[in-house]
Amino acid sequence: MRTEANGPAGRGRPADPGIERRVLAAALTVYGEVGWAGFTLDRVARRAPVGKAALYRRWPTKEDLLLAALEHLAEPPGDEADPADLRGCLIGMTEQVIDMFVGPKALVLPRVLIEASQYPPRFDDMVQNIVRARFGTVRTVIQAAADRGELPARTPPDLIIDAIMGRVISLIVLTPGARRATINAERDRYAASITDFVLRAVAGLLRSAGSRPASRRSGRSRDGTSCRLHEVSRRRRRPGRR
């Protein structure tokens, strides 16, 4: 991304090192409030606040600015994250998901998901960028944990991700709006509790499924016939039953 700091030194006031951070944060806030139709560079410049000339030098169009801002919404784990620490990585992901729904950026993702259907070429790419950044690294971490035996073999990474996402969404939906701020205030505690619950549940579920006979696990008999339907049919053929 281009910045004044990357180019030759110019005359006048020195470059503001925090300008990009302020503009991108302001861009997410403005987009969450007014959506694509109301999103303009002038609005973002007023919210930041920064001079419009400095903003236009970095992001010539509102598409450029919003895409850069959404990439920050979808920031992957930092360099300090240990890919061998399954629990730590999942807690970090859970914290980001909570922040995505109840933090300062909470209005942004719903906007993107809604407007993706209205502006498919542009917003579908943004949604995919968010998904890849949020969950791509986590899938790799989960797969590595299964490979080294920390999770049951053949654990589907998406099973764990979906379980965490579902638990976070359930927590938010079932919490009254006036109390949702407490979720973000205690994000670390909620993230650790949700992660631990999902890891225990998934490990127990997969181990239990692995101990059952194949026909019981699949719910089908060995010839592929549904066990339940087969039993119902057999009862119907018994003499004296109507």
Side-chain angles (χ1 to χ4, degrees), residues 4-5 13 19 36 39 57-58 77 105 130 135 144 163 182 191 218:
E4 291 178 355
R13 187 186 306 174
I19 187 172
W36 177 250
F39 184 81
R57 279 197 298 271
R58 291 167 169 82
K105 307 169 185 175
I130 290 173
F135 304 127
T182 63
S218 64

Side-chain angles (χ1 to χ4, degrees), residues 77-136:
D79 293 338
E80 70 279 3
D82 180 2
D85 179 7
L86 173 65
R87 180 176 180 270
C89 287
L90 291 179
I91 288 175
M93 186 203 81
T94 308
E95 289 173 348
Q96 287 191 340
V97 173
I98 291 173
D99 182 62
M100 201 161 45
F101 285 103
V102 296
K105 307 169 185 175
L107 293 176
V108 178
L109 184 60
R111 285 277 189 189
V112 174
L113 295 176
I114 292 169
E115 296 191 337
S117 62
Q118 301 174 16
Y119 306 92
R122 183 179 300 119
F123 284 86
D124 275 352
D125 288 343
M126 292 180 183
V127 171
Q128 291 306 312
N129 286 339
I130 290 173
V131 170
R132 281 192 292 268
R134 289 281 181 182
F135 304 127

Side-chain angles (χ1 to χ4, degrees), residues 86 90 93 135-146 151-152 154-164 198 202 206:
L86 173 65
L90 291 179
M93 186 203 81
F135 304 127
T137 301
V138 175
R139 286 190 178 93
T140 303
V141 168
I142 294 171
Q143 185 60 58
L151 289 171
R154 299 185 300 280
T155 298
D158 284 347
L159 177 64
I160 293 178
I161 293 172
D162 291 350
I164 288 175
V198 168
V202 169
L206 292 172

Side-chain angles (χ1 to χ4, degrees), residues 1 20 23-24 41 55-61 64-65 68:
M1 187 178 294
E20 291 192 3
V23 169
L24 295 175
L41 291 176
L55 190 148
Y56 276 87
R57 279 197 298 271
R58 291 167 169 82
W59 303 281
T61 68
D64 295 332
L65 176 54

